[in-house]
Amino acid sequence: MRAESDGFGPWTPDERRARVTALLDDDVVREVHTWELLTASEAEWYGDLGHADADDRVPHWSSALERAQDADRALPSVTFASDLDEDLESAPVVTFYSLKGGVGRSTALASVARRLSGDHGLTVVCIDMDLEAPGLDSLFGIESQVDTDQGVVSALLQYEFGEPGSVLKHLIPVDDAGRLYCMPAGRIDSAYAAQLRALEPEIWYRERTNALHRLIDDVRESNLRPDVILIDSRTGVSPVAAPLLFDVSDMAVICFHPHAQARAGTEMLTKALLSATTRRSTDGRPLTPEPRFVVSPMPPGISATRLAERARSWVEAWTATAGSQRGAAQGLSAEEITHVIPYNAEVAFADTVGASRGQLTPYARIADWIVQIVPEPTPASAVQDRTSASKAEALRQLSFSTGTAEILDHEEFLQDYVVTRQVNETAAPDVPLILGRKGTGKTALFRWLAAGKLADWEPVLVTTPNQYKGRPAWSFGPDNYAAVGGALEQRGLDWGSFWQVLMALAIHQSYAPAQQLGAPHRALAELGDGDFAVTQAVFEVLDDPMGPLRCGDWLRRVDAGGDRGVLMLFDGLDTAFGHSPVQRSRRSAAIAGLLTKQADLASRLRRIRLKIFVRQDIWQGLRFENKSHFFGLSRRLQWEDREEYFKVVLKRAVRASAFAEVLAVLDPALPATEVAAWSPEQVALAWGALVGERMRGERTAFTANWVWNRLADGNGDHSPRALLQLFAAALDWERTEEKRSGYDRSVLRPRSLALSLESVSDKALSALLDEEFQELRQVAEALREYGRTPVTEDALGDIEEDLVVLAQEAGLLEVIDSDGSERLFKVPDLYRWALGVTRRGPM
């Protein structure tokens, strides 16, 4: 602040300041870094005040930390570069910083630079601003190539004195591919020390030309046109670190070790970052430096997990307020913005950072963070023009049906069903037992088989889901099975006898060639309408001591005749018996009896095969004598191939002709080829056209990774139903948002996925607790009360161990650490939002 008055003449500088500040509010005084209280003649010697914009906030530590400490000061509206749908206009600046040394900051920067230039193919410029203790040139192995008057210090001085030359002369190529460059601090000699003493960071913001801004802008606008600029900052509260962190950086990577000594300082630094605004703005909104945290080095041993969780709990607390200020995305998540680097002696004692994949892999996630804010290559104009022209119609035409497989319209279901490699393997007639969690596609496969899609095999429905439209009268419900259980007990029969009768009845009623052999039993010759009549007929067969045997003999005669196989389908067994403890016990006995009967009939029948669909957790709880018979004869429906999983949603999307037009520009073969036959590369093209390649916000860099990771339960299982629910919610959001702001890089913008996850989480938890595992409601309530993840074993202390184990088997909990004395659990994202659980971890 400058004020000119001849009245200042009699007073000393301290007296002038005391008299002026006495007239001002404390809030105003705190904002002023430098006072120039001058007479008119003195002002002539000082020259012009400078040309900083009125809205510029000079980035000094004192003002930054004062803002962070002021509890009454409201945070500015927090908007990060990764919150924007549009790209930044120029290469982002990412500063690597640490309050203390020895935490691997420079090694992290060099490793990330190698990863970005090598794996991601980006042009990267690294600038060494650790001017008092430079070392990037050594880490890159180019120390001997640094000349006198080359590097950051020389360049900044030239800008300060108005003598800038070509910025390229200060850059040294690091790799042969021409994608990685380093601007060293300078050649360390007596001249460098003198130049460093002459450098005045505080004057940059009082001069007509800001030397730091000019340096960065010239690098951006040079012939290199870098994709990203990485800056290695001096540690501690140094004068040069403040403008790097609070003014020029789009992202700040904060390296620290979770020791108590680092907690208070790193907290203040984080709050200072989140209360700052950078020199960038978009649509009149200033951007906030985006914090990321690297915990390094993490020592090996059983304490590593707990130290990592301590760090995440700190980060969660430090960023909680800022998360609520963001209007563009969900709150900040410590797990997403924190990364742990394990200690590696090979890296710690290496002289340079090379391109070895093994050494660079631990830094991949940091590179992914940065990729999020690197401007994407503009799509081919033909693709972008077609997307723009077709988007409104595509949004109208698209539909992602979220109904369960048993209630979908028959033609709609067959049109949308994707016959993947997994489907073909599981549908094979010689696989009698099909396992899977609810929502993994058991009933969808059942419907496909029931539609007669397996060549040369005639489907016969024995049991079906309750809501299945073609459900036959002999597909029983809880009351029927309760009556059957009582009848079997009274007659001293097992469940295998019942299933043999029911199979014979189903084939007689459904398979025309079998009717030529007459009825399996006189009681089954003429059936009345409804399940009561069928149940009564079954009882009559069971009353006949030879009844079940007659049915078995009849099945063998059917098997010997005909030229087609008969595929007997059993689905809906998980809910058909009811959910009470007595009903679940009856279900276990009945399914064990069915599987025992299959094992008995397998060696006697050639053309009649059984396909039995059983929920994974029910199978695990079964105990029967020949269970080992099914080793090798069962398949688990588990989506292990990401591309196959994504085909579920892409097949529905390509039905929209407007979206197919976009795909035809990318690859003319896409709309004309069955989705099931698409290659991984074609899946990636279609996926990018539908929802874009990269996520925004603090999340995993790529939309495919984000969806795959977020929709997994604690066992890594994926539900096609959850995938369709996510895209249905994203489509609804996009239809509304497109009216407010257009977006033509993809039909759905990536942000739509992030904002739709919560609704999917609610549905997934409801399905888990209401349809599958009602006994887990007690565990869910305990998790809600605890309110954070990871979950300590103490938090579940009142829960019976059997329920804790069941929660793990059901995917509600995942064990992430166990030292033999206490376990630590994680709540997967699929259920975390619905439970209201944050990622704060143990405090």
Side-chain angles (χ1 to χ4, degrees), residues 483-507:
V484 170
L488 292 174
E489 186 175 353
Q490 289 175 4
R491 294 163 176 78
L493 298 174
D494 59 22
W495 279 93
S497 300
F498 161 75
W499 290 118
Q500 187 158 282
V501 173
L502 198 66
M503 285 188 283
L505 185 157
I507 290 181

Side-chain angles (χ1 to χ4, degrees), residues 654 660 663-664 667-675 678:
V654 80
L663 296 185
D667 180 352
L670 279 173
T673 306
E674 171 59 38
V675 173
W678 283 359

Side-chain angles (χ1 to χ4, degrees), residues 398-401 415-418 420 639 641-657 659-660 663 666 670-671 673-692 703-704 707 720 723-724 727-728 746-748:
L398 281 171
S399 174
F400 301 104
S401 176
Q415 189 174 17
D416 289 342
Y417 191 64
V418 185
T420 62
W639 295 86
D641 187 308
R642 196 174 67 176
E643 281 69 32
E644 297 285 277
Y645 183 61
F646 292 160
K647 288 177 182 178
V648 172
V649 76
L650 291 174
K651 183 160 186 180
R652 285 159 174 78
V654 80
R655 285 174 53 193
S657 59
F659 179 64
L663 296 185
L666 286 166
L670 279 173
T673 306
E674 171 59 38
V675 173
W678 283 359
S679 67
E681 292 74 21
Q682 289 175 314
V683 170
L685 277 177
W687 179 270
L690 179 61
V691 76
T703 54
V707 170
L723 179 65
L724 292 169
F727 273 81
S746 55
V747 175
L748 305 177

